[in-house]
Amino acid sequence: MKLRISAAELVAEARSQIPELDTLDALEMFKRDDVVVVDIRDVRERNRTGWIPGSVHAPRGMLEFWVDPDSPYFRDVFAQEGKEYVLHCASGWRSALAVFQLQKMGFEASHLKDGFSDWVLEGGAVEGP
């Protein structure tokens, strides 16, 4: 079966239209009180590899519903005034797609370009598992 567009092409399209954050910049940025770090990985990934301290867990499959104030699944953490939201996954692919979708909804966010795996490689703090 031949797809019209590959997953990698979807990610490339998203990345060309969203703000991306390098890990080294994130190491300092994530110390600020006005930044909300959102981990969209599956709970099993978090439990296996840990998470960025203070991050909010919002599984990728629920993210759009948790962000939408008209959704029965809405979460207040996504309605904080004056906050900058930065999403991450393991490698930056899912978070790129997620930010691209959120932007279509009118929700501003960026993402950790190289994901949690690069965060760990660069010596970023990790809690758990």
Side-chain angles (χ1 to χ4, degrees), residues 23 41 49 52 88-92 112-124 126:
T23 304
R41 297 175 299 154
T49 61
I52 296 172
H88 82 82
C89 62
S91 64
L112 188 55
K113 180 174 70 172
D114 297 312
F116 184 75
S117 56
D118 195 57
W119 174 266
V120 172
L121 286 174
E122 293 293 346
V126 175

Side-chain angles (χ1 to χ4, degrees), residues 14 19 27 31 65 71 86 111-112 114 123 125:
L27 287 167
K31 295 176 185 175
F65 301 105
S71 164
V86 181
H111 86 116
L112 188 55
D114 297 312

Side-chain angles (χ1 to χ4, degrees), residues 21 26 29-30 35-39 84-88 109-112:
L21 183 62
M29 181 182 181
F30 287 5
V35 175
V36 178
V37 180
V38 181
D39 185 344
E84 187 171 342
Y85 292 86
V86 181
L87 279 59
H88 82 82
S110 60
H111 86 116
L112 188 55

